[in-house]
Amino acid sequence: MTNQIIAALSDDCRAVLAPRLMTRPIRAGEVLYVAGSPARSLIFPHDGMISLQTRLRDGRMIEQVQVCRDSMAGGEALLGVDRAQAHAVVVLSGEASWLPVADLIEARPHFPSLDRAILSHLSRTLAHTAQAVVCASVHTASQRIARWLLRADDMTLTDSFQIMQRSLAELLGLRLATVSEACSRLMRAGAIRYSRGTVTIIDRPLLVAHACECYEASLGVTC
């Protein structure tokens, strides 16, 4: 797998940027940067999932948007913002590449494919964020959890991944008991299996049926 933004670039653009990329594994629970830190690098996941989060006054960390292989973290730097606007925390282990913002800005005028990829990413991110606001406002915990699991399944291309119910509760701003009940409901329906922190999707069409309309709406976001 590779990041879809990088894959969309022309061969000559990738050849210029490749030596400047630093690629390494990312591990669940790892904090890649915190809100307010200097925006110096862009992060392109190839696998796994990064969660951009806001810290509330009571200490809770709520997810704004997921960053996976179809997107990048730190994109606000390309809009002239010099400080990170959120905490970037790895929720599903994988691999990612770092690229200094200055290197991308230097290359951008020379490669139309790079400019198109960036604008497409920023447009998709805005659309996904807006959809997440709607989802959190009107849909049930079970629907939102099903949607989150489907997104993880799409982006990791594996039917099993490690995620604790407590982590899901924190990300979605839900009570642990609510998440536990929702997962139990999905298990009884035969959509997933959950054991010792490992979620396995055993009937994807059934899980789609339990998700809210926001999941299919997000699939139609192409810019």
Side-chain angles (χ1 to χ4, degrees):
M1 287 185 290
T2 190
N3 182 274
Q4 292 177 8
I5 297 175
I6 295 175
L9 301 178
S10 60
D11 291 343
D12 56 344
C13 182
R14 281 198 302 272
V16 168
L17 294 181
R20 310 181 188 194
L21 291 170
M22 187 276 290
T23 302
R24 67 168 178 83
I26 53 176
R27 304 298 183 193
E30 181 181 358
V31 178
L32 302 181
Y33 58 76
V34 299
S37 60
R40 293 172 178 162
S41 295
L42 304 166
I43 305 174
F44 299 86
H46 303 292
D47 190 14
M49 180 186 290
I50 299 167
S51 174
L52 299 187
Q53 303 175 4
T54 296
R55 184 185 297 278
L56 303 182
R57 289 182 179 179
D58 61 7
R60 287 182 296 164
M61 298 284 285
I62 306 298
E63 184 172 81
Q64 296 178 358
V65 68
Q66 300 141 352
V67 179
C68 305
R69 61 187 176 87
D70 62 346
S71 53
M72 65 181 175
E76 63 266 27
L78 302 177
L79 300 175
V81 179
D82 61 0
R83 298 281 171 176
Q85 302 297 293
H87 301 268
V89 183
V90 181
V91 292
L92 297 178
S93 298
E95 187 177 73
S97 292
W98 275 251
L99 177 69
V101 172
D103 286 347
L104 188 141
I105 291 175
E106 179 186 344
R108 191 172 177 180
H110 306 289
F111 301 103
S113 66
L114 180 56
D115 206 48
R116 287 193 300 268
I118 291 169
L119 293 176
S120 178
H121 156 74
L122 294 175
S123 181
R124 283 196 310 272
T125 299
L126 287 173
H128 283 304
T129 303
Q131 193 73 48
V133 172
V134 173
C135 189
S137 300
V138 300
H139 292 135
T140 67
S142 292
Q143 290 174 315
R144 293 172 62 200
I145 290 169
R147 179 194 177 202
W148 197 97
L149 295 176
L150 287 165
R151 167 74 169 164
D153 184 48
D154 290 341
M155 292 296 103
T156 61
L157 298 182
T158 177
D159 291 333
S160 295
F161 39 84
Q162 295 281 330
I163 183 76
M164 300 297 293
Q165 290 186 3
R166 184 175 299 279
S167 297
L168 270 178
E170 292 172 352
L171 291 171
L172 299 176
L174 299 169
R175 294 173 57 246
L176 178 57
T178 301
V179 172
S180 180
E181 179 183 349
C183 288
S184 295
R185 187 178 301 117
L186 292 172
M187 284 191 287
R188 289 195 300 270
I192 67 170
R193 181 170 59 249
Y194 184 84
S195 177
R196 297 183 180 181
T198 299
V199 178
T200 302
I201 297 175
I202 57 179
D203 191 329
R204 182 180 169 85
L206 186 57
L207 188 59
V208 172
H210 278 79
C212 57
E213 62 199 81
C214 294
Y215 172 67
E216 293 189 348
S218 67
L219 296 179
V221 176
T222 56
C223 305

